[in-house]
Amino acid sequence: MKISNIILIFFFVLPFAYADLRVGFYGRSCPSAETIVRQVVQRRFNRERTVVADLLQIHFHDCFVRGCDASLLIDPRGQSRSEKQAATNKNLESFDLFDDIKAALEKACPCTVSCADIIALATRDTVALAGGPRYNVPTGRRDGLVSNPSEVNIPGPDLSVSQAFESFFRGRGFSLEEMVTLLGAHTVGFTHCSLVRNRLSSFGKRDPTMDGALDAKLGRTCGSSRRPAKNDPQIVLDQNTSFVFDNEYFRQIRKGRGVLHIDQQLALDNLSRHIVAGFAANGASFNRNFANAMIKLGSLHVLVGNSGEIRKNCRAFNNPR
Ligand code: HEM
Ligand SMILES: *[C@@H]1O[C@H](CO)[C@@H](O)[C@H](O)[C@H]1NC(C)=O
Ligand SMILES: *[C@@H]1O[C@H](CO)[C@@H](O)[C@H](O)[C@H]1NC(C)=O
């Protein structure tokens, strides 16, 4: 093999390969691991449907910072700050689910299953419970040793499609189709009025790409510039089947019912509109693509082998500094 080819493989292919993770990593060391995760997730889902969106967003925000290493689960402690304190992470919920899962796993197989793997497995399980695709998650991730709020750089909702794509492509290697697929996660969950006001006529900012009925409805929820609603109300991202994991998000944004600027732009921008049209027409194709894109998201810059550690408590490093 030519030297230049070897260099090519080292620098461009390996960082995106999933070879270090494998399906069934805990088959010998903790055979019940995936069953335990699924049972705890199922109990929470029965009580709280919102856990699906909570976990999808946590998984995304964890993997985009230092890779999928559970750096997002660390609590601030004394002088030590953590990713949870970054502005884009302030609204994240359901962290206590990881306490429940970790406690059950530590009882069955102490110091064996990483918090990073728990996030990937639990997110997979919530997607299936909400009606989305079932897929195998490769495991073997290790937990990170750093959690720093100043490293958090999650793309914002007012970006254009090409600006958002920058952040998915550069250093992370996602295709545009994979980004559009992953944004299909907005088929569940909520945003807040504060992030949508700049598109509403009641705030003097009518965005002509928004469907008139939706503009009126959001005006009732969010109030107006003269009388803004108190406590920053929540708004569902998928205006039709808000708690079902399906391809309805893509159909809604094609009707001008995208809530965030980026949602609406996906359906309009020449770069992405054909991808959106494809998923709107074909739910099975969205499901297949989503499973693959989640496996790729979950493999981003993972720690394996002897790197990092297996945390005993997902909220704290084993040896806090
Ligand atoms: C360009 C990419 C993205 C942007 C700009 C974006 C932006 C946002 C914003 C602004 C919110 C509302 C946050 C709030 O009001 O508190 C949100 C919610 C959400 N995002 Fe994204 N997002 C992106 C990609 C993703 C990806 C890749 C996933 C997962 C695979 C995801 C899953 C979610 C979910 C499930 C919610 C609802 C959370 C909840 O209800 O708890 N997003 N996103
Ligand atoms: C809501 O979703 C269902 C199921 O996908 C669909 O049949 C229906 O037409 C949608 N309704 C609206 C108003 O978009
Ligand atoms: C998209 O493409 C059409 C023609 O194919 C063009 O007329 C339109 O200006 C383009 N829109 C944007 C936002 O680039």
Side-chain angles (χ1 to χ4, degrees), residues 240-241 248 252 255 257:
N240 184 1
T241 55
E248 193 56 31
Q252 294 296 309
K255 295 175 182 164
R257 298 194 201 124

Side-chain angles (χ1 to χ4, degrees), residues 305-321:
N306 295 319
S307 314
E309 63 183 6
I310 303 294
R311 273 181 223 151
K312 292 198 275 288
N313 168 0
C314 293
R315 295 178 182 271
F317 303 118
N318 289 344
N319 300 301
R321 274 139 299 177

Side-chain angles (χ1 to χ4, degrees), residues 13-29:
V13 181
L14 284 185
F16 302 129
Y18 318 136
D20 296 328
L21 301 178
R22 60 187 174 83
V23 172
F25 180 84
Y26 298 108
R28 291 237 180 101
S29 59

Side-chain angles (χ1 to χ4, degrees), residues 55 58-59 62 70 73 98 114-124:
L55 262 55
I58 286 173
H59 195 21
D62 179 44
L73 299 191
F98 298 104
S114 68
C115 298
D117 277 340
I118 295 174
I119 299 177
L121 293 169
T123 304
R124 178 271 306 270

Side-chain angles (χ1 to χ4, degrees), residues 81-284:
R81 292 166 55 72
S82 81
E83 288 178 21
K84 283 181 182 173
Q85 292 169 300
T88 42
N89 290 335
K90 291 257 164 74
N91 288 323
L92 299 180
E93 282 173 10
S94 293
F95 287 116
D96 62 314
L97 175 62
F98 298 104
D99 302 331
D100 295 353
I101 298 172
K102 188 63 179 170
L105 284 171
E106 287 300 293
K107 215 188 262 173
C109 353
C111 304
T112 304
V113 183
S114 68
C115 298
D117 277 340
I118 295 174
I119 299 177
L121 293 169
T123 304
R124 178 271 306 270
D125 292 339
T126 63
V127 168
L129 286 169
R134 293 165 193 280
Y135 53 94
N136 289 326
V137 169
T139 44
R141 294 169 191 76
R142 310 258 305 169
D143 297 325
L145 300 172
V146 177
S147 178
N148 181 346
S150 65
E151 290 180 339
V152 176
N153 187 11
I154 301 292
D158 293 322
L159 297 182
S160 68
V161 172
S162 65
Q163 287 168 332
F165 180 51
E166 272 288 308
S167 128
F168 276 74
F169 177 71
R170 205 190 302 196
R172 300 190 171 108
F174 290 100
S175 67
L176 185 69
E177 186 176 28
E178 286 166 336
M179 181 183 89
V180 174
T181 305
L182 287 171
L183 268 153
H186 289 181
T187 181
V188 291
F190 296 83
T191 183
H192 295 81
C193 285
S194 52
L195 297 180
V196 181
R197 277 177 202 146
N198 63 354
R199 304 186 61 213
L200 302 183
S201 55
S202 61
F203 286 84
K205 308 266 177 64
R206 173 107 175 89
D207 178 342
T209 65
M210 185 185 285
D211 164 64
L214 179 60
D215 176 54
K217 179 184 160 196
L218 297 184
R220 289 191 293 277
T221 305
C222 299
S224 63
S225 33
R226 263 189 314 114
R227 284 172 140 259
K230 287 196 190 66
N231 304 324
D232 203 6
Q234 291 194 316
I235 304 166
V236 291
L237 288 168
D238 174 348
Q239 289 297 311
N240 184 1
T241 55
S242 320
F243 289 92
V244 184
F245 196 100
D246 58 8
N247 66 337
E248 193 56 31
Y249 163 82
F250 295 106
R251 297 174 180 233
Q252 294 296 309
I253 62 179
R254 276 164 61 79
K255 295 175 182 164
R257 298 194 201 124
V259 174
L260 299 170
H261 169 82
I262 185 70
D263 295 329
Q264 194 53 63
Q265 283 305 306
L266 282 190
L268 297 173
D269 196 302
N270 285 340
L271 285 172
S272 49
R273 51 190 293 178
H274 65 285
I275 305 170
V276 168
F279 289 152
N282 189 340

